[in-house]
Amino acid sequence: MPTPSSVNAGSSLLNTGFIRRIRQNHAVEHATITVLMARERNVSLLGGRSNHLGFNIYGRVETAALEAAATEALTRLQGGEAGLAIHPNCGTNLVATGTLAGVAVMTTTAIARRRRASMVDRIALGILAATAAIIAGRPLGFRLQRSVTTLADVGDLRLGPITRRQIGRFTLHFVTLEKV
C-alpha cells in the first residue's frame, strides 16, 4: 500500500519539467486528433506520438487542417475542456487492457493446471479471464490517461511550427508546442 509521501513523490515527479511537458503534449495530441476527426471526414490517421517537444501525427492530413485543429484543441484545453485530453484509442488503453488480459490468462491457466483441469477447461477459463480483463481494461486505461499519461493543464503552452514530411505515400507531421 502506498504511503501518502510516496503518492506525493509520484505526483510531483509526474509534474516536473520533462515528464510534465510530455503529458501536456500528449493531452494536446489527443485533443487535436479529436477535433481533426470531427472536422475532416476524409482524414486517414494512423496515430500520434508525443515527446517533450510536441507530437507526431501519422497519416494523410493537410497541414493547414492539422494546424487549425491543433489551434482549436489547445484553445479548448486552455478553456477548461479537460475531457479532450482523454482518447479511447490511446496506447495507454491498449497497454492497460493487454497487460490485464495477459496476467489474467497466465494466472487462471496456472491455477487450473495445478488443479489438473483439462486442456479444454484451461482454455475456457483463460478466455473468460481475458474477457473480464478486457472489460476492466478500458476504464483502467482512461483512469491512467487522466492521472498519469496526459495533463490537460496546458495554460503555459502555445503552438509552434508544424513540419510535414512525405515519405512515399506516408505523411508525417510534427507539431511543436512551446512554453509561453
Side-chain angles (χ1 to χ4, degrees):
M1 177 117 183
T3 64
S5 63
S6 68
V7 170
N8 290 339
S11 177
S12 65
L13 177 65
L14 290 174
N15 285 312
T16 57
F18 183 78
I19 296 171
R20 177 181 174 84
R21 286 294 300 277
I22 293 171
R23 294 177 64 215
Q24 288 176 308
N25 295 347
H26 193 193
V28 179
E29 172 202 331
H30 284 179
T32 299
I33 290 170
T34 298
V35 169
L36 189 61
M37 297 305 285
R39 286 178 162 200
E40 305 285 326
R41 297 292 174 203
N42 295 326
V43 169
S44 174
L45 290 182
L46 300 175
R49 189 184 64 76
S50 299
N51 65 30
H52 68 288
L53 299 173
F55 59 92
N56 287 295
I57 294 291
Y58 306 100
R60 284 187 308 218
V61 60
E62 293 301 319
T63 306
L66 177 59
E67 182 175 11
T71 299
E72 179 181 334
L74 186 56
T75 300
R76 288 173 63 183
L77 283 170
Q78 290 170 338
E81 290 186 56
L84 287 173
I86 310 303
H87 198 279
N89 296 332
C90 178
T92 302
N93 289 4
L94 299 174
V95 168
T97 300
T99 300
L100 281 179
V103 169
V105 169
M106 288 183 352
T107 302
T108 56
T109 56
I111 290 169
R113 186 178 305 123
R114 281 195 205 109
R115 293 186 178 171
R116 301 187 190 271
S118 71
M119 181 62 77
V120 171
D121 286 343
R122 281 187 263 170
I123 291 171
L125 285 170
I127 291 170
L128 181 64
T131 302
I134 289 167
I135 292 167
R138 190 168 178 100
L140 175 62
F142 285 136
R143 181 172 289 177
L144 287 171
Q145 283 185 66
R146 265 189 238 94
S147 60
V148 178
T149 64
T150 68
L151 179 62
D153 177 9
V154 295
D156 59 342
L157 297 182
R158 70 172 176 228
L159 193 60
I162 298 176
T163 57
R164 176 187 176 113
R165 289 183 52 203
Q166 196 70 41
I167 305 166
R169 293 173 46 181
F170 185 74
T171 306
L172 165 70
H173 284 91
F174 186 77
V175 179
T176 304
L177 293 165
E178 301 170 339
K179 199 165 171 81
V180 177

